[in-house]
């Protein structure tokens, strides 16, 4: 227990001292502020609950749980990677510590960090009730029980999933960051199918509802049906469109024994996932990492080549001074080099799928392309774009690139143009169809999309220094915006009604400026 305590404590202190922890906490706190100001509400058709302890506690718990099961996952999904990069893992590997103990400790440390954020949101809920003042009486159990029953078990399961993803070779990298968005979406959608005919959560609902959104809203819906028989059964956790004309007094959760058992089961499942992760954990043994083995082979080949070269007789060498070219531009060569670096490592099947989507964009009906094929095209190169701006940090080539002549004026535009080329080529089938149809507004939206996506990746990569921020943020944006054609978020313009090309052209310019300022600041620091 002493070793476990110190492992958890060290991880917790290391993480809470990061700026990313403060940013995530600030975002969660802002969501609490949105709840307090009415920008985020639980709507039951035209109803919302009176802001008493029961309603506010559930509202804040659902908002924070939904947010942190997604964003919190990416925040804590680096525990094993950090130990490997800092060589702490190699030290731990020499101790008698078992693999299951290590993965369980990492799961607990992840949970403690996420639980600290939940605790801040719970305190904000107490403050919120006094500010709202619709019901000044504070019932601490009604206010805090949703955090204890739903938020904390969800954080434990999210913490365990982060450890599992880090131990699986396919999921520990960028692919896992993208896949988790779909896993998170499935976890939100699965319990909906288990609601009974009367709209009340069944026992199966509690066991499949990770975040508690469906279970809590089901309780609210059932109580509202008893108050207003004309209630049609609508329910949504809404951001933005929050206007409601009616209020009702909700007295709080009424949970069956199965609901309490399901929360305990969620905690046990989290422990089980951490133990399963131990089966795939390589205990920081580089011999079991094929990527590391491949790199070692390349390094040995390089060393052997250098050794062979050193055995040759030494000859006098006359160095030629560098002469600046009188004319001509090196930008096309730099763009081509950056494009090769972006696509380096892609297998034949990646190009085959990209080619198939391009042909489908030309062959399918235009409406099907804009609403389906083009949306798939935008998610396919996400791991190519995510390297923009972050590759120098990942491969530790920043000192070499930043010290080169006019890197800010030469290399920076080359990376951005290469990203735009990837967007234009992969989604070029849609542009051809729009040109044939003479759809000028659709073509403008396509141009805005082709410029916006690589600009977003570039700015995220430069400012965060990792590809994770773009992989997570872009996938969520892609799912909410183009996939659901939400106006203001649909950067593709999947439908004429949701297209906002001028907005995304403006955002593109802002992102390019942000990328430039970020790189200039790093150059000044270097």
């Amino acid at each position: 227990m002493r070793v476990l305590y110190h492992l958890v404590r060290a991880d917790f202190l290391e993480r809470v001292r990061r700026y990313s922890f403060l940013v995530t906490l600030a975002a969660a706190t802002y969501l609490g502020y949105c709840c307090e100001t009415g920008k985020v509400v639980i709507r039951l058709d035209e109803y919302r609950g009176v802001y008493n302890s029961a309603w506010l506690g559930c509202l804040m718990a659902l908002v924070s749980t939904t947010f942190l099961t997604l964003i919190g996952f990416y925040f804590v999904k680096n525990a094993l990677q950090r130990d490997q990069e800092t060589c702490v893992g190699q030290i731990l590997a020499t101790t008698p510590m078992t693999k299951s103990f290590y993965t369980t400790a990492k799961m607990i440390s992840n949970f403690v960090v996420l639980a600290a954020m939940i605790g801040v949101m719970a305190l904000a809920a107490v403050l919120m009730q006094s500010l709202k003042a619709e019901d000044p009486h504070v019932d601490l159990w009604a206010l805090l029980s949703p955090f204890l029953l739903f938020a904390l078990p969800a954080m434990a399961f999210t913490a365990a999933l982060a450890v599992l993803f880090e131990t699986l070779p396919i999921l520990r990298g960028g692919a896992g960051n993208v896949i988790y968005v779909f896993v998170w979406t499935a976890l939100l959608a699965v319990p909906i199918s288990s609601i009974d005919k009367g709209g009340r959560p069944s026992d199966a609902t509690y066991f499949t509802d990770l975040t508690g959104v469906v279970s809590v809203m089901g309780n609210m819906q059932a109580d509202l049906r008893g108050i207003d028989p004309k209630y049609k059964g609508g329910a949504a956790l809404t951001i933005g469109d929050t206007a409601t004309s009616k209020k009702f007094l909700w007295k709080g959760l009424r949970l069956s024994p199965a609901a309490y058992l399901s929360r305990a089961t969620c905690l046990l499942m989290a422990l089980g996932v951490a133990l399963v992760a131990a089966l795939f954990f390589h205990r920081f043994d580089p011999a079991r990492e094929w990527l590391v083995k491949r790199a070692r082979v390349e390094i040995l080949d390089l060393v052997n080549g250098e050794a062979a070269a050193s055995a040759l007789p030494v000859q006098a060498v006359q160095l030629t001074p560098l002469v600046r070219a009188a004319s001509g531009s090196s930008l096309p060569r730099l763009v081509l080099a950056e494009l090769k670096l972006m696509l380096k490592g892609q297998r034949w099947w990646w190009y085959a799928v990209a080619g198939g989507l391009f042909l489908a964009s030309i062959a399918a009906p235009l409406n099907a392309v804009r609403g389906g094929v083009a949306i798939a095209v935008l998610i396919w190169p996400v791991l190519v774009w995510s390297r923009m701006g972050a590759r120098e940090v990942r491969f530790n080539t920043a000192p070499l690139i930043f010290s080169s002549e006019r890197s800010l004026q030469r290399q920076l535009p080359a990376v951005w143009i290469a990203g735009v080329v990837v967007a234009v080529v992969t989604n070029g089938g849609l542009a051809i169809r729009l040109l044939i149809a003479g759809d000028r507004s659709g073509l403008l939206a396509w141009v805005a999309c082709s410029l916006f996506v690589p600009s977003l990746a570039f700015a995220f990569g430069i400012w965060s220094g990792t590809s994770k921020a773009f992989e997570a943020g872009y996938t969520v944006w892609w799912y909410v915006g183009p996939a659901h054609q939400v106006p203001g978020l649909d950067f593709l313009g999947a439908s004429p009604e949701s297209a906002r090309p001028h907005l995304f052209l403006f955002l593109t310019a802002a992102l390019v400026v942000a990328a430039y300022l970020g790189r200039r600041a790093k150059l000044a620091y270097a």
Side-chain angles (χ1 to χ4, degrees):
M1 292 303 297
R2 185 178 63 85
V3 174
L4 179 63
Y5 165 75
H6 284 288
L7 278 175
V8 172
R9 181 177 180 272
D11 266 358
F12 177 78
L13 292 177
E14 195 277 335
R15 281 169 168 162
V16 298
R17 291 167 179 168
R18 297 187 202 165
Y19 288 114
S20 55
F21 176 82
L22 297 178
V23 172
T24 306
L25 189 59
T29 306
Y30 176 73
L31 283 177
Y33 169 77
C34 291
C35 294
E36 191 271 332
T37 56
K39 296 179 181 178
V40 178
V41 298
I42 296 177
R43 291 187 58 178
L44 307 178
D45 287 344
E46 294 302 316
Y47 283 93
R48 73 160 175 85
V50 174
Y51 284 113
N52 57 4
S53 295
W55 187 271
L56 283 174
C58 287
L59 173 62
M60 291 286 286
L62 295 187
V63 169
S64 57
T65 304
T66 305
F67 173 75
L68 288 177
T69 48
L70 178 63
I71 304 301
F73 170 86
Y74 295 103
F75 179 75
V76 299
K77 182 181 169 279
N78 59 0
L80 277 69
Q81 177 185 355
R82 187 181 63 254
D83 282 352
Q84 187 163 14
E85 291 176 348
T86 58
C87 295
V88 172
Q90 286 80 347
I91 297 174
L92 294 175
T94 62
T95 68
M97 182 186 303
T98 63
K99 295 193 295 182
S100 59
F101 184 90
Y102 179 82
T103 55
T104 302
K106 291 300 177 182
M107 184 273 289
I108 295 175
S109 67
N110 291 347
F111 168 71
V112 171
V113 173
L114 296 176
M117 298 182 183
I118 291 294
V120 172
M121 296 296 288
L123 293 176
V126 177
L127 178 63
M128 208 174 127
Q129 184 174 2
S130 62
L131 294 175
K132 273 294 181 182
E134 288 188 355
D135 183 356
H137 174 68
V138 177
D139 184 343
L140 285 179
W141 173 249
L143 191 64
L144 300 179
S145 60
F147 293 94
L148 298 174
L149 296 175
F150 294 101
L152 291 182
M155 294 304 103
F157 192 75
T158 303
L161 280 180
V163 176
L164 178 62
F165 270 55
E166 281 203 86
T167 58
L168 294 174
I170 298 177
L171 299 180
R172 71 175 57 135
N177 295 334
V178 175
I179 290 172
Y180 180 75
V181 175
F182 298 97
V183 173
W184 174 77
T185 304
L187 291 174
L188 293 179
V190 164
I192 298 176
S193 60
S194 60
I195 294 288
D196 61 24
K197 295 181 179 179
R200 185 178 291 275
S202 64
D203 290 346
T205 305
Y206 293 116
F207 282 95
T208 57
D209 190 9
L210 172 66
T211 61
V213 172
V214 177
S215 302
V216 173
M217 286 189 178
N219 274 266
M220 295 174 175
Q221 289 174 287
D223 291 348
L224 183 55
R225 286 189 181 94
I227 297 173
D228 185 359
K230 297 181 180 179
Y231 167 59
K232 298 180 181 179
L237 184 62
T238 306
I239 301 175
D241 183 17
T242 60
T244 54
S245 58
K246 300 178 182 179
K247 293 186 289 187
F248 76 104
L249 180 62
W250 187 60
K251 297 182 179 180
L253 293 170
R254 289 179 294 171
L255 302 177
S256 64
Y260 294 98
L261 181 61
S262 69
R263 299 300 95 191
T265 303
C266 186
L267 293 173
L268 292 176
M269 288 176 59
L271 179 60
V273 170
L275 295 177
V276 170
L279 300 177
F280 304 98
F281 178 45
H282 54 75
R283 198 178 171 84
F284 304 105
D285 182 5
R288 297 180 59 183
E289 290 288 328
W290 70 272
L291 288 174
V292 176
K293 288 171 66 178
R294 180 178 175 182
R296 288 178 61 190
V297 170
E298 293 177 354
I299 292 173
L300 287 174
D301 291 341
L302 178 63
V303 171
N304 291 335
E306 292 179 351
S310 64
L312 297 176
V314 178
Q315 300 177 357
V317 177
Q318 180 66 38
L319 298 179
T320 303
L322 293 175
V323 179
R324 185 184 301 274
S327 62
S329 173
S330 61
L331 182 61
R333 296 196 303 273
L334 284 174
V335 171
L336 181 60
E338 291 293 343
L339 191 59
K340 290 180 179 179
L341 286 174
M342 281 186 182
L343 299 176
K344 184 178 178 59
Q346 302 299 334
R347 306 294 295 275
W348 65 267
W349 52 265
W350 187 91
Y351 295 98
V353 173
L357 291 173
F358 185 91
L359 294 176
S361 299
I362 297 177
L366 181 57
N367 290 335
V369 174
R370 296 180 70 172
V373 179
I375 296 174
V377 170
L378 286 176
I379 199 63
W380 188 244
V382 61
L383 299 183
V384 175
W385 287 318
S386 67
R387 301 171 185 173
M388 296 176 62
R391 189 170 57 241
E392 296 84 2
V393 177
R394 179 181 178 186
F395 295 102
N396 199 27
T397 58
L400 179 64
I401 294 176
F402 293 171
S403 62
S404 62
E405 183 184 12
R406 293 188 298 151
S407 65
L408 191 61
Q409 292 80 15
R410 297 171 63 196
Q411 192 259 350
L412 196 71
V415 177
W416 182 78
I417 294 173
V420 173
V421 169
V422 172
V424 169
V425 172
T426 54
N427 205 16
L430 175 60
I432 295 173
R433 295 300 307 278
L434 292 171
L435 282 172
I436 295 175
D439 188 350
R440 294 183 178 180
S441 60
L443 191 60
L444 179 62
W446 176 86
V447 171
C449 173
S450 300
L451 297 175
F452 169 74
V453 175
S455 302
L456 182 69
F458 204 20
F460 271 42
I462 287 178
W463 281 97
S464 68
T466 67
S467 59
K468 187 187 299 185
F470 174 75
E471 291 162 356
Y474 173 75
T475 306
V476 174
W477 197 333
W478 167 86
Y479 179 78
V480 176
H484 288 82
Q485 301 177 10
V486 176
L489 296 176
D490 181 9
F491 50 82
L492 173 65
S495 67
E497 295 77 15
S498 61
R500 301 291 188 274
H502 295 92
L503 169 64
F504 288 101
L505 286 173
F506 171 78
L507 290 177
T508 296
L511 289 168
V512 170
V513 171
Y516 175 83
L517 295 176
R519 178 55 58 85
R520 189 175 70 172
K522 290 189 176 182
L523 281 172
Y525 178 77

